[in-house]
Amino acid sequence: MRKYAVDSSLPRRRRHVTTALADTGLLYTLASRPKYLELFLELYGGTVAVATAVEDEIRKIARIPQATRAHRNLVLMGACADLLAAKLDDKTITVLEPSEDSADLEPALQQQLLELDRVEAGRRGTTWRPVDVDRTKRHHGEMESILVATDIIKAGGTALLLTNDGGASRVAWRQGVSARHLRDILGELACANPDMKEEDLLTAFNEMTAHFGTLPAEVRPTDSSAFRCRALGGACHLCDPLTR
């Protein structure tokens, strides 16, 4: 099974960072339920950013004419891309480019992501073929996101990778970048919005990951308690450093 690199030092409540780098899959899951995309953007504010490769992936789908999307099975993805492209246009989501200094790290990240694909193919019992080398292109958004995150950290800032992809989280972890996934984000929304019902959040999670952005089984919520607030007397052992 794929595994997700969970940073156990992060509280459930959202921790402020300089920049939160979201990959394409994570954004598509949120955009598939626009209410939750808006809540996420409100919670994270101006820290939300994407790498240039992620912007390219979103705009590539958004440029496909609506009349042809049904034939290409891209109706839902196209609607998500349209919404996200609008957020890019109005600068709600910032676009960042990896620095020239990070170029030296790119081959290593590509190789690590490729190797994780190779391992995944073996787990599924499928034959790994040379053509699969092209699958690194599928990870270009995650790779650039990690590069940008490392740039920010080297400059003295703080950064998170927002991704549902377990392999990307593990590669990011090797570079000192923590990752958060959709379950984490919905949990952060629950902390910030006490009126949210945990059952609604579980339903939303299952709906948002039904078509894309599936998480590794080990970090998927098994029931609505994953989104339950456990604060008592204004303190929470899951969120507050003094009680953890």
Side-chain angles (χ1 to χ4, degrees):
M1 297 293 290
R2 289 191 305 165
K3 295 183 178 180
Y4 199 99
V6 176
D7 185 348
S8 60
S9 71
L10 290 178
R12 173 172 165 176
R13 183 184 300 129
R14 178 185 172 249
R15 186 190 71 176
H16 180 79
V17 293
T18 307
T19 309
L21 275 300
D23 74 1
T24 310
L26 188 282
L27 288 174
Y28 277 158
T29 57
L30 287 165
S32 68
R33 293 296 180 272
K35 164 189 172 183
Y36 289 95
L37 176 65
E38 296 299 334
L39 288 170
F40 159 72
L41 292 173
E42 181 181 348
L43 180 65
Y44 274 74
T47 67
V48 181
V50 296
T52 50
V54 172
E55 179 192 23
D56 291 343
E57 290 170 355
I58 292 169
R59 292 196 184 278
K60 179 180 179 180
I61 299 299
R63 284 194 295 266
I64 296 174
Q66 292 194 14
T68 66
R69 290 177 180 177
H71 299 293
R72 299 177 62 176
N73 197 30
L74 291 172
V75 174
L76 177 58
M77 186 176 289
C80 293
D82 289 343
L83 181 56
L84 293 170
K87 298 299 182 184
L88 292 166
D89 290 340
D90 67 14
K91 311 300 182 184
T92 300
I93 298 176
T94 305
V95 181
L96 300 175
E97 185 175 3
S99 69
E100 293 182 2
D101 293 339
S102 66
D104 292 341
L105 185 58
E106 185 172 330
L109 295 186
Q110 285 182 329
Q111 183 57 40
Q112 291 168 22
L113 290 165
L114 179 62
E115 182 60 28
L116 288 172
D117 266 351
R118 189 194 303 272
V119 171
E120 178 65 12
R123 186 193 68 79
R124 295 193 307 266
T126 56
T127 303
W128 180 264
R129 299 179 177 85
V131 71
D132 290 334
V133 172
D134 291 336
R135 286 166 60 87
T136 52
K137 296 176 182 177
R138 182 170 64 87
H139 294 300
H140 199 57
E142 289 96 332
M143 182 195 69
E144 275 203 5
S145 299
I146 296 169
L147 290 176
V148 173
T150 59
D151 285 338
I152 292 167
I153 292 171
K154 287 177 182 176
T158 51
L160 280 176
L161 175 66
L162 303 181
T163 181
N164 289 339
D165 187 282
S169 77
R170 292 161 63 188
V171 173
W173 183 260
R174 296 173 189 174
Q175 301 301 323
V177 179
S178 299
R180 301 284 265 179
H181 47 67
L182 181 64
R183 173 183 170 177
D184 291 326
I185 290 171
L186 294 183
E188 291 171 352
L189 289 176
C191 284
N193 300 275
D195 293 336
M196 279 188 165
K197 296 180 180 180
E198 61 184 70
E199 295 83 2
D200 293 341
L201 289 165
L202 178 62
T203 298
F205 175 91
N206 289 330
E207 290 177 347
M208 285 190 274
T209 57
H211 301 285
F212 33 63
T214 302
L215 277 72
E218 65 187 37
V219 292
R220 290 181 64 88
T222 56
D223 55 47
S224 65
S225 65
F227 307 109
R228 185 176 303 161
C229 178
R230 290 176 169 80
L232 183 64
C236 175
H237 73 282
L238 296 177
C239 297
D240 299 318
L242 294 180
T243 59
R244 292 176 70 217

mmCIF file of all heavy atoms in Angstrom, residues 61-105:
data_model
loop_
_atom_site.group_PDB
_atom_site.id
_atom_site.type_symbol
_atom_site.label_atom_id
_atom_site.label_comp_id
_atom_site.label_asym_id
_atom_site.label_seq_id
_atom_site.Cartn_x
_atom_site.Cartn_y
_atom_site.Cartn_z
ATOM 1 N N ILE A 61 -6.596 22.098 -19.051
ATOM 2 C CA ILE A 61 -7.952 21.536 -19.036
ATOM 3 C C ILE A 61 -8.988 22.636 -19.242
ATOM 4 O O ILE A 61 -9.972 22.453 -19.958
ATOM 5 C CB ILE A 61 -8.215 20.799 -17.714
ATOM 6 C CG1 ILE A 61 -7.226 19.636 -17.552
ATOM 7 C CG2 ILE A 61 -9.643 20.270 -17.655
ATOM 8 C CD1 ILE A 61 -7.303 18.578 -18.624
ATOM 9 N N ALA A 62 -8.759 23.783 -18.633
ATOM 10 C CA ALA A 62 -9.723 24.887 -18.750
ATOM 11 C C ALA A 62 -9.871 25.356 -20.194
ATOM 12 O O ALA A 62 -10.934 25.860 -20.582
ATOM 13 C CB ALA A 62 -9.304 26.048 -17.860
ATOM 14 N N ARG A 63 -8.809 25.205 -20.989
ATOM 15 C CA ARG A 63 -8.855 25.659 -22.377
ATOM 16 C C ARG A 63 -9.623 24.707 -23.301
ATOM 17 O O ARG A 63 -9.922 25.062 -24.441
ATOM 18 C CB ARG A 63 -7.434 25.857 -22.913
ATOM 19 C CG ARG A 63 -6.754 27.125 -22.404
ATOM 20 C CD ARG A 63 -5.511 27.436 -23.211
ATOM 21 N NE ARG A 63 -4.483 26.408 -23.038
ATOM 22 C CZ ARG A 63 -3.504 26.480 -22.143
ATOM 23 N NH1 ARG A 63 -3.428 27.533 -21.330
ATOM 24 N NH2 ARG A 63 -2.610 25.528 -22.055
ATOM 25 N N ILE A 64 -9.936 23.514 -22.834
ATOM 26 C CA ILE A 64 -10.682 22.563 -23.664
ATOM 27 C C ILE A 64 -12.115 23.065 -23.822
ATOM 28 O O ILE A 64 -12.794 23.332 -22.828
ATOM 29 C CB ILE A 64 -10.675 21.164 -23.030
ATOM 30 C CG1 ILE A 64 -9.245 20.612 -22.977
ATOM 31 C CG2 ILE A 64 -11.585 20.211 -23.812
ATOM 32 C CD1 ILE A 64 -9.110 19.303 -22.239
ATOM 33 N N PRO A 65 -12.608 23.223 -25.051
ATOM 34 C CA PRO A 65 -13.974 23.724 -25.259
ATOM 35 C C PRO A 65 -15.011 22.860 -24.549
ATOM 36 O O PRO A 65 -14.901 21.626 -24.538
ATOM 37 C CB PRO A 65 -14.149 23.645 -26.783
ATOM 38 C CG PRO A 65 -12.744 23.686 -27.321
ATOM 39 C CD PRO A 65 -11.902 22.966 -26.312
ATOM 40 N N GLN A 66 -15.970 23.486 -23.919
ATOM 41 C CA GLN A 66 -16.989 22.746 -23.182
ATOM 42 C C GLN A 66 -17.721 21.752 -24.063
ATOM 43 O O GLN A 66 -18.127 20.676 -23.597
ATOM 44 C CB GLN A 66 -17.978 23.724 -22.540
ATOM 45 C CG GLN A 66 -17.372 24.563 -21.426
ATOM 46 C CD GLN A 66 -18.415 25.277 -20.592
ATOM 47 O OE1 GLN A 66 -19.595 24.965 -20.664
ATOM 48 N NE2 GLN A 66 -17.977 26.243 -19.803
ATOM 49 N N ALA A 67 -17.892 22.066 -25.339
ATOM 50 C CA ALA A 67 -18.633 21.188 -26.234
ATOM 51 C C ALA A 67 -17.956 19.837 -26.437
ATOM 52 O O ALA A 67 -18.615 18.852 -26.788
ATOM 53 C CB ALA A 67 -18.823 21.866 -27.589
ATOM 54 N N THR A 68 -16.637 19.776 -26.214
ATOM 55 C CA THR A 68 -15.914 18.522 -26.425
ATOM 56 C C THR A 68 -15.592 17.786 -25.124
ATOM 57 O O THR A 68 -15.066 16.678 -25.171
ATOM 58 C CB THR A 68 -14.592 18.795 -27.171
ATOM 59 O OG1 THR A 68 -13.726 19.579 -26.333
ATOM 60 C CG2 THR A 68 -14.854 19.539 -28.475
ATOM 61 N N ARG A 69 -15.907 18.397 -23.994
ATOM 62 C CA ARG A 69 -15.508 17.785 -22.722
ATOM 63 C C ARG A 69 -16.223 16.467 -22.450
ATOM 64 O O ARG A 69 -15.620 15.531 -21.910
ATOM 65 C CB ARG A 69 -15.758 18.767 -21.572
ATOM 66 C CG ARG A 69 -14.792 19.947 -21.589
ATOM 67 C CD ARG A 69 -15.083 20.946 -20.487
ATOM 68 N NE ARG A 69 -14.155 22.073 -20.524
ATOM 69 C CZ ARG A 69 -14.218 23.111 -19.711
ATOM 70 N NH1 ARG A 69 -15.183 23.184 -18.790
ATOM 71 N NH2 ARG A 69 -13.334 24.087 -19.813
ATOM 72 N N ALA A 70 -17.494 16.378 -22.800
ATOM 73 C CA ALA A 70 -18.239 15.145 -22.552
ATOM 74 C C ALA A 70 -17.620 13.975 -23.315
ATOM 75 O O ALA A 70 -17.541 12.852 -22.807
ATOM 76 C CB ALA A 70 -19.698 15.317 -22.941
ATOM 77 N N HIS A 71 -17.165 14.219 -24.531
ATOM 78 C CA HIS A 71 -16.566 13.162 -25.343
ATOM 79 C C HIS A 71 -15.243 12.687 -24.757
ATOM 80 O O HIS A 71 -14.822 11.554 -25.008
ATOM 81 C CB HIS A 71 -16.343 13.665 -26.774
ATOM 82 C CG HIS A 71 -17.601 14.077 -27.470
ATOM 83 N ND1 HIS A 71 -18.597 13.183 -27.822
ATOM 84 C CD2 HIS A 71 -18.042 15.293 -27.874
ATOM 85 C CE1 HIS A 71 -19.581 13.825 -28.415
ATOM 86 N NE2 HIS A 71 -19.282 15.113 -28.454
ATOM 87 N N ARG A 72 -14.591 13.551 -23.996
ATOM 88 C CA ARG A 72 -13.288 13.204 -23.416
ATOM 89 C C ARG A 72 -13.403 12.867 -21.929
ATOM 90 O O ARG A 72 -12.390 12.731 -21.245
ATOM 91 C CB ARG A 72 -12.316 14.369 -23.622
ATOM 92 C CG ARG A 72 -12.087 14.697 -25.093
ATOM 93 C CD ARG A 72 -11.190 15.889 -25.293
ATOM 94 N NE ARG A 72 -9.843 15.672 -24.753
ATOM 95 C CZ ARG A 72 -8.851 16.541 -24.869
ATOM 96 N NH1 ARG A 72 -9.054 17.688 -25.522
ATOM 97 N NH2 ARG A 72 -7.663 16.293 -24.363
ATOM 98 N N ASN A 73 -14.625 12.737 -21.452
ATOM 99 C CA ASN A 73 -14.877 12.400 -20.042
ATOM 100 C C ASN A 73 -14.233 13.417 -19.107
ATOM 101 O O ASN A 73 -13.650 13.063 -18.085
ATOM 102 C CB ASN A 73 -14.367 10.987 -19.727
ATOM 103 C CG ASN A 73 -14.956 10.431 -18.434
ATOM 104 O OD1 ASN A 73 -16.082 10.779 -18.060
ATOM 105 N ND2 ASN A 73 -14.215 9.573 -17.757
ATOM 106 N N LEU A 74 -14.355 14.694 -19.469
ATOM 107 C CA LEU A 74 -13.720 15.759 -18.705
ATOM 108 C C LEU A 74 -14.723 16.796 -18.212
ATOM 109 O O LEU A 74 -14.344 17.931 -17.937
ATOM 110 C CB LEU A 74 -12.662 16.462 -19.569
ATOM 111 C CG LEU A 74 -11.417 15.651 -19.915
ATOM 112 C CD1 LEU A 74 -10.559 16.406 -20.922
ATOM 113 C CD2 LEU A 74 -10.609 15.323 -18.665
ATOM 114 N N VAL A 75 -15.991 16.422 -18.086
ATOM 115 C CA VAL A 75 -16.995 17.404 -17.684
ATOM 116 C C VAL A 75 -16.724 17.923 -16.273
ATOM 117 O O VAL A 75 -16.652 19.134 -16.042
ATOM 118 C CB VAL A 75 -18.413 16.812 -17.775
ATOM 119 C CG1 VAL A 75 -19.435 17.804 -17.221
ATOM 120 C CG2 VAL A 75 -18.753 16.470 -19.221
ATOM 121 N N LEU A 76 -16.565 17.011 -15.313
ATOM 122 C CA LEU A 76 -16.327 17.428 -13.929
ATOM 123 C C LEU A 76 -14.968 18.098 -13.794
ATOM 124 O O LEU A 76 -14.848 19.174 -13.190
ATOM 125 C CB LEU A 76 -16.423 16.230 -12.986
ATOM 126 C CG LEU A 76 -16.120 16.512 -11.510
ATOM 127 C CD1 LEU A 76 -17.060 17.578 -10.959
ATOM 128 C CD2 LEU A 76 -16.221 15.231 -10.684
ATOM 129 N N MET A 77 -13.936 17.486 -14.363
ATOM 130 C CA MET A 77 -12.603 18.074 -14.266
ATOM 131 C C MET A 77 -12.560 19.436 -14.943
ATOM 132 O O MET A 77 -11.914 20.375 -14.442
ATOM 133 C CB MET A 77 -11.560 17.145 -14.882
ATOM 134 C CG MET A 77 -10.131 17.621 -14.696
ATOM 135 S SD MET A 77 -8.894 16.463 -15.339
ATOM 136 C CE MET A 77 -9.033 15.140 -14.131
ATOM 137 N N GLY A 78 -13.251 19.569 -16.061
ATOM 138 C CA GLY A 78 -13.282 20.848 -16.753
ATOM 139 C C GLY A 78 -13.940 21.930 -15.924
ATOM 140 O O GLY A 78 -13.472 23.078 -15.894
ATOM 141 N N ALA A 79 -15.041 21.580 -15.243
ATOM 142 C CA ALA A 79 -15.720 22.557 -14.385
ATOM 143 C C ALA A 79 -14.805 22.981 -13.236
ATOM 144 O O ALA A 79 -14.765 24.160 -12.862
ATOM 145 C CB ALA A 79 -17.016 21.964 -13.848
ATOM 146 N N CYS A 80 -14.058 22.022 -12.687
ATOM 147 C CA CYS A 80 -13.113 22.352 -11.613
ATOM 148 C C CYS A 80 -12.005 23.258 -12.135
ATOM 149 O O CYS A 80 -11.623 24.231 -11.478
ATOM 150 C CB CYS A 80 -12.505 21.072 -11.037
ATOM 151 S SG CYS A 80 -13.667 20.007 -10.162
ATOM 152 N N ALA A 81 -11.499 22.942 -13.324
ATOM 153 C CA ALA A 81 -10.428 23.742 -13.905
ATOM 154 C C ALA A 81 -10.902 25.165 -14.195
ATOM 155 O O ALA A 81 -10.162 26.131 -13.983
ATOM 156 C CB ALA A 81 -9.917 23.077 -15.180
ATOM 157 N N ASP A 82 -12.140 25.303 -14.670
ATOM 158 C CA ASP A 82 -12.690 26.643 -14.935
ATOM 159 C C ASP A 82 -12.707 27.475 -13.657
ATOM 160 O O ASP A 82 -12.323 28.659 -13.658
ATOM 161 C CB ASP A 82 -14.115 26.541 -15.480
ATOM 162 C CG ASP A 82 -14.166 25.990 -16.895
ATOM 163 O OD1 ASP A 82 -13.130 25.992 -17.579
ATOM 164 O OD2 ASP A 82 -15.260 25.542 -17.304
ATOM 165 N N LEU A 83 -13.156 26.869 -12.570
ATOM 166 C CA LEU A 83 -13.247 27.583 -11.299
ATOM 167 C C LEU A 83 -11.862 27.968 -10.787
ATOM 168 O O LEU A 83 -11.633 29.097 -10.329
ATOM 169 C CB LEU A 83 -13.979 26.711 -10.273
ATOM 170 C CG LEU A 83 -14.187 27.293 -8.877
ATOM 171 C CD1 LEU A 83 -14.918 28.627 -8.946
ATOM 172 C CD2 LEU A 83 -14.970 26.302 -8.016
ATOM 173 N N LEU A 84 -10.924 27.043 -10.901
ATOM 174 C CA LEU A 84 -9.568 27.305 -10.418
ATOM 175 C C LEU A 84 -8.851 28.328 -11.301
ATOM 176 O O LEU A 84 -8.089 29.167 -10.799
ATOM 177 C CB LEU A 84 -8.776 25.999 -10.365
ATOM 178 C CG LEU A 84 -9.275 24.992 -9.330
ATOM 179 C CD1 LEU A 84 -8.595 23.643 -9.530
ATOM 180 C CD2 LEU A 84 -9.044 25.495 -7.907
ATOM 181 N N ALA A 85 -9.101 28.277 -12.608
ATOM 182 C CA ALA A 85 -8.498 29.268 -13.509
ATOM 183 C C ALA A 85 -8.960 30.676 -13.154
ATOM 184 O O ALA A 85 -8.177 31.634 -13.216
ATOM 185 C CB ALA A 85 -8.843 28.936 -14.959
ATOM 186 N N ALA A 86 -10.219 30.801 -12.758
ATOM 187 C CA ALA A 86 -10.733 32.108 -12.345
ATOM 188 C C ALA A 86 -10.015 32.598 -11.084
ATOM 189 O O ALA A 86 -9.729 33.797 -10.943
ATOM 190 C CB ALA A 86 -12.237 32.029 -12.100
ATOM 191 N N LYS A 87 -9.706 31.673 -10.171
ATOM 192 C CA LYS A 87 -8.979 32.047 -8.953
ATOM 193 C C LYS A 87 -7.540 32.448 -9.272
ATOM 194 O O LYS A 87 -6.955 33.297 -8.588
ATOM 195 C CB LYS A 87 -8.983 30.880 -7.956
ATOM 196 C CG LYS A 87 -10.366 30.464 -7.484
ATOM 197 C CD LYS A 87 -11.079 31.593 -6.758
ATOM 198 C CE LYS A 87 -12.439 31.147 -6.236
ATOM 199 N NZ LYS A 87 -13.177 32.277 -5.599
ATOM 200 N N LEU A 88 -6.972 31.828 -10.303
ATOM 201 C CA LEU A 88 -5.640 32.223 -10.744
ATOM 202 C C LEU A 88 -5.681 33.598 -11.406
ATOM 203 O O LEU A 88 -4.799 34.434 -11.192
ATOM 204 C CB LEU A 88 -5.082 31.184 -11.719
ATOM 205 C CG LEU A 88 -4.762 29.807 -11.132
ATOM 206 C CD1 LEU A 88 -4.541 28.795 -12.244
ATOM 207 C CD2 LEU A 88 -3.536 29.875 -10.231
ATOM 208 N N ASP A 89 -6.714 33.823 -12.195
ATOM 209 C CA ASP A 89 -6.843 35.097 -12.904
ATOM 210 C C ASP A 89 -6.978 36.276 -11.947
ATOM 211 O O ASP A 89 -6.395 37.344 -12.177
ATOM 212 C CB ASP A 89 -8.044 35.069 -13.852
ATOM 213 C CG ASP A 89 -7.832 34.161 -15.046
ATOM 214 O OD1 ASP A 89 -6.668 33.855 -15.359
ATOM 215 O OD2 ASP A 89 -8.840 33.748 -15.663
ATOM 216 N N ASP A 90 -7.755 36.082 -10.875
ATOM 217 C CA ASP A 90 -7.968 37.203 -9.959
ATOM 218 C C ASP A 90 -6.935 37.246 -8.823
ATOM 219 O O ASP A 90 -7.080 38.007 -7.874
ATOM 220 C CB ASP A 90 -9.399 37.196 -9.400
ATOM 221 C CG ASP A 90 -9.687 36.011 -8.481
ATOM 222 O OD1 ASP A 90 -8.738 35.319 -8.048
ATOM 223 O OD2 ASP A 90 -10.873 35.761 -8.195
ATOM 224 N N LYS A 91 -5.919 36.394 -8.943
ATOM 225 C CA LYS A 91 -4.785 36.388 -7.998
ATOM 226 C C LYS A 91 -5.156 35.891 -6.608
ATOM 227 O O LYS A 91 -4.391 36.083 -5.648
ATOM 228 C CB LYS A 91 -4.138 37.780 -7.888
ATOM 229 C CG LYS A 91 -3.815 38.440 -9.221
ATOM 230 C CD LYS A 91 -2.866 37.623 -10.048
ATOM 231 C CE LYS A 91 -2.525 38.351 -11.356
ATOM 232 N NZ LYS A 91 -1.668 37.529 -12.254
ATOM 233 N N THR A 92 -6.334 35.268 -6.477
ATOM 234 C CA THR A 92 -6.654 34.640 -5.198
ATOM 235 C C THR A 92 -5.644 33.544 -4.896
ATOM 236 O O THR A 92 -5.257 33.320 -3.743
ATOM 237 C CB THR A 92 -8.079 34.044 -5.228
ATOM 238 O OG1 THR A 92 -9.012 35.098 -5.483
ATOM 239 C CG2 THR A 92 -8.429 33.367 -3.919
ATOM 240 N N ILE A 93 -5.223 32.835 -5.937
ATOM 241 C CA ILE A 93 -4.172 31.825 -5.835
ATOM 242 C C ILE A 93 -2.943 32.361 -6.555
ATOM 243 O O ILE A 93 -2.999 32.704 -7.737
ATOM 244 C CB ILE A 93 -4.611 30.490 -6.455
ATOM 245 C CG1 ILE A 93 -5.832 29.928 -5.715
ATOM 246 C CG2 ILE A 93 -3.461 29.477 -6.410
ATOM 247 C CD1 ILE A 93 -6.394 28.657 -6.333
ATOM 248 N N THR A 94 -1.832 32.435 -5.839
ATOM 249 C CA THR A 94 -0.582 32.964 -6.394
ATOM 250 C C THR A 94 0.162 31.876 -7.170
ATOM 251 O O THR A 94 0.087 30.696 -6.812
ATOM 252 C CB THR A 94 0.317 33.478 -5.258
ATOM 253 O OG1 THR A 94 -0.409 34.438 -4.485
ATOM 254 C CG2 THR A 94 1.581 34.121 -5.791
ATOM 255 N N VAL A 95 0.855 32.265 -8.204
ATOM 256 C CA VAL A 95 1.685 31.344 -8.980
ATOM 257 C C VAL A 95 3.154 31.647 -8.700
ATOM 258 O O VAL A 95 3.591 32.802 -8.795
ATOM 259 C CB VAL A 95 1.404 31.470 -10.492
ATOM 260 C CG1 VAL A 95 2.269 30.482 -11.272
ATOM 261 C CG2 VAL A 95 -0.074 31.232 -10.780
ATOM 262 N N LEU A 96 3.915 30.614 -8.353
ATOM 263 C CA LEU A 96 5.331 30.762 -8.040
ATOM 264 C C LEU A 96 6.164 29.824 -8.901
ATOM 265 O O LEU A 96 5.749 28.702 -9.195
ATOM 266 C CB LEU A 96 5.586 30.455 -6.555
ATOM 267 C CG LEU A 96 4.859 31.346 -5.537
ATOM 268 C CD1 LEU A 96 5.112 30.835 -4.129
ATOM 269 C CD2 LEU A 96 5.310 32.796 -5.672
ATOM 270 N N GLU A 97 7.331 30.283 -9.269
ATOM 271 C CA GLU A 97 8.226 29.509 -10.126
ATOM 272 C C GLU A 97 9.442 29.061 -9.325
ATOM 273 O O GLU A 97 9.983 29.835 -8.526
ATOM 274 C CB GLU A 97 8.669 30.373 -11.309
ATOM 275 C CG GLU A 97 9.494 29.640 -12.336
ATOM 276 C CD GLU A 97 9.803 30.508 -13.544
ATOM 277 O OE1 GLU A 97 9.404 31.693 -13.536
ATOM 278 O OE2 GLU A 97 10.443 30.010 -14.488
ATOM 279 N N PRO A 98 9.894 27.827 -9.518
ATOM 280 C CA PRO A 98 11.113 27.393 -8.818
ATOM 281 C C PRO A 98 12.296 28.276 -9.187
ATOM 282 O O PRO A 98 12.389 28.774 -10.308
ATOM 283 C CB PRO A 98 11.314 25.958 -9.337
ATOM 284 C CG PRO A 98 9.971 25.518 -9.818
ATOM 285 C CD PRO A 98 9.312 26.755 -10.349
ATOM 286 N N SER A 99 13.192 28.465 -8.240
ATOM 287 C CA SER A 99 14.365 29.286 -8.494
ATOM 288 C C SER A 99 15.375 28.524 -9.350
ATOM 289 O O SER A 99 15.328 27.294 -9.464
ATOM 290 C CB SER A 99 15.027 29.683 -7.172
ATOM 291 O OG SER A 99 15.620 28.538 -6.562
ATOM 292 N N GLU A 100 16.300 29.257 -9.943
ATOM 293 C CA GLU A 100 17.361 28.623 -10.721
ATOM 294 C C GLU A 100 18.230 27.743 -9.826
ATOM 295 O O GLU A 100 18.761 26.719 -10.268
ATOM 296 C CB GLU A 100 18.210 29.685 -11.410
ATOM 297 C CG GLU A 100 17.470 30.462 -12.489
ATOM 298 C CD GLU A 100 18.360 31.469 -13.196
ATOM 299 O OE1 GLU A 100 19.568 31.522 -12.864
ATOM 300 O OE2 GLU A 100 17.846 32.198 -14.070
ATOM 301 N N ASP A 101 18.374 28.143 -8.573
ATOM 302 C CA ASP A 101 19.206 27.372 -7.645
ATOM 303 C C ASP A 101 18.638 25.982 -7.378
ATOM 304 O O ASP A 101 19.380 25.054 -7.062
ATOM 305 C CB ASP A 101 19.357 28.116 -6.315
ATOM 306 C CG ASP A 101 20.165 29.396 -6.453
ATOM 307 O OD1 ASP A 101 20.919 29.506 -7.440
ATOM 308 O OD2 ASP A 101 20.037 30.275 -5.583
ATOM 309 N N SER A 102 17.312 25.836 -7.476
ATOM 310 C CA SER A 102 16.691 24.550 -7.180
ATOM 311 C C SER A 102 16.766 23.575 -8.345
ATOM 312 O O SER A 102 16.397 22.410 -8.205
ATOM 313 C CB SER A 102 15.223 24.752 -6.779
ATOM 314 O OG SER A 102 14.468 25.251 -7.872
ATOM 315 N N ALA A 103 17.253 24.034 -9.504
ATOM 316 C CA ALA A 103 17.317 23.179 -10.691
ATOM 317 C C ALA A 103 18.183 21.940 -10.450
ATOM 318 O O ALA A 103 17.924 20.866 -11.013
ATOM 319 C CB ALA A 103 17.837 23.969 -11.887
ATOM 320 N N ASP A 104 19.217 22.084 -9.612
ATOM 321 C CA ASP A 104 20.100 20.949 -9.335
ATOM 322 C C ASP A 104 19.372 19.822 -8.621
ATOM 323 O O ASP A 104 19.782 18.657 -8.718
ATOM 324 C CB ASP A 104 21.291 21.401 -8.482
ATOM 325 C CG ASP A 104 22.231 22.335 -9.235
ATOM 326 O OD1 ASP A 104 22.175 22.336 -10.480
ATOM 327 O OD2 ASP A 104 22.996 23.062 -8.576
ATOM 328 N N LEU A 105 18.300 20.161 -7.909
ATOM 329 C CA LEU A 105 17.549 19.157 -7.156
ATOM 330 C C LEU A 105 16.530 18.423 -8.029
ATOM 331 O O LEU A 105 16.083 17.331 -7.675
ATOM 332 C CB LEU A 105 16.831 19.850 -5.985
ATOM 333 C CG LEU A 105 16.064 18.991 -4.983
ATOM 334 C CD1 LEU A 105 16.986 17.968 -4.330
ATOM 335 C CD2 LEU A 105 15.429 19.886 -3.919
#
